[in-house]
């Protein structure tokens, strides 16, 4: 077999470059930096607690970098995770995601998604209720951090 042939004969998939990716920082370098400063940042601690108590994080490293660059959002995320479950009367799970605007590459929003078995009408009403009771009062900039409802 030629050393350049793929053993499974599948086409290689394009790799997505994560938000905040720095090609000069290898995983070894990042590990070394963590060894120098083993204390987790407030953003890391918040994500760890979020994962344990509340839900799933998609692209954790990207979100961590985003929160470290937008430190004011850490408090809002903590507040959301504590208060939104008190508003919602349906079983749900949190998902944390970053969304990038396809037209403006620098425009990124962190979404706290409430995911559950809702009907479209329940999801719409739930989003309105969460916006009214929490988002409109607590979120300083919905273009950087926002809440969304996803129904499955």
């Amino acid at each position: 077999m030629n050393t350049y042939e793929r053993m499974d004969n599948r086409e290689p998939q394009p790799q997505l470059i994560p938000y905040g990716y720095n090609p000069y920082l290898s995983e070894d370098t990042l590990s070394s930096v963590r060894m120098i400063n083993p204390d987790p940042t407030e953003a890391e601690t918040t994500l760890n607690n979020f994962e344990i108590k509340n839900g799933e994080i998609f692209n954790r490293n990207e979100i961590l970098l985003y929160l470290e660059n937008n430190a004011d959002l850490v408090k809002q995320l903590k507040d959301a995770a504590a208060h939104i479950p008190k508003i919602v009367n349906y079983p749900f799970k949190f998902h944390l995601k970053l969304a990038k605007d396809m037209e403006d590459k620098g425009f990124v929003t962190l979404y706290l998604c409430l995911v559950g078995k809702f009907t479209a009408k329940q999801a719409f009403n739930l989003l309105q209720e969460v916006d009214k009771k929490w988002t409109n009062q607590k979120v300083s900039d919905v273009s950087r951090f926002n809440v969304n409802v996803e129904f499955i």
Side-chain angles (χ1 to χ4, degrees):
M1 177 194 322
N2 184 337
T3 55
Y4 296 106
E5 288 181 38
R6 293 183 51 88
M7 291 179 66
D8 58 7
N9 294 326
R10 289 183 294 162
E11 288 294 315
Q13 297 297 313
Q15 289 186 324
L16 298 175
I17 297 174
Y19 171 76
Y21 173 75
N22 185 338
Y24 302 107
L25 292 179
S26 67
E27 194 57 42
D28 291 336
T29 304
L30 292 173
S31 296
S32 299
V33 169
R34 285 188 193 103
M35 283 187 205
I36 294 169
N37 184 11
D39 296 330
T41 63
E42 185 179 9
E44 280 180 293
T45 303
T46 300
L47 288 182
N48 290 341
N49 290 337
F50 179 87
E51 227 166 7
I52 292 167
K53 296 177 185 175
N54 301 99
E56 194 171 344
I57 300 172
F58 295 86
N59 298 321
R60 189 180 203 290
N61 290 338
E62 290 180 45
I63 291 174
L64 178 59
L65 183 61
Y66 184 78
L67 286 173
E68 287 176 347
N69 290 327
N70 296 277
D72 59 309
L73 299 182
V74 173
K75 182 180 177 187
Q76 291 177 22
L77 176 60
K78 282 194 235 180
D79 191 66
H83 289 94
I84 289 176
K86 297 173 186 173
I87 299 169
V88 179
N89 295 323
Y90 303 102
F92 76 96
K93 187 175 182 179
F94 281 126
H95 286 181
L96 198 57
K97 302 176 183 181
L98 275 180
K100 301 169 193 145
D101 188 321
M102 300 310 263
E103 294 176 8
D104 182 2
K105 301 291 184 201
F107 190 76
V108 180
T109 304
L110 179 64
Y111 278 96
L112 179 62
C113 300
L114 286 66
V115 181
K117 292 183 179 180
F118 313 119
T119 65
K121 185 175 182 177
Q122 286 172 327
F124 178 75
N125 290 338
L126 179 58
L127 184 58
Q128 283 187 321
E129 189 174 352
V130 170
D131 280 347
K132 180 181 173 186
K133 293 182 178 177
W134 189 83
T135 308
N136 294 341
Q137 297 168 7
K138 301 287 185 173
V139 177
S140 58
D141 184 357
V142 293
S143 68
R144 294 187 310 130
F145 177 63
N146 208 340
V147 177
N148 198 9
V149 175
E150 296 178 356
F151 52 99
I152 50 175

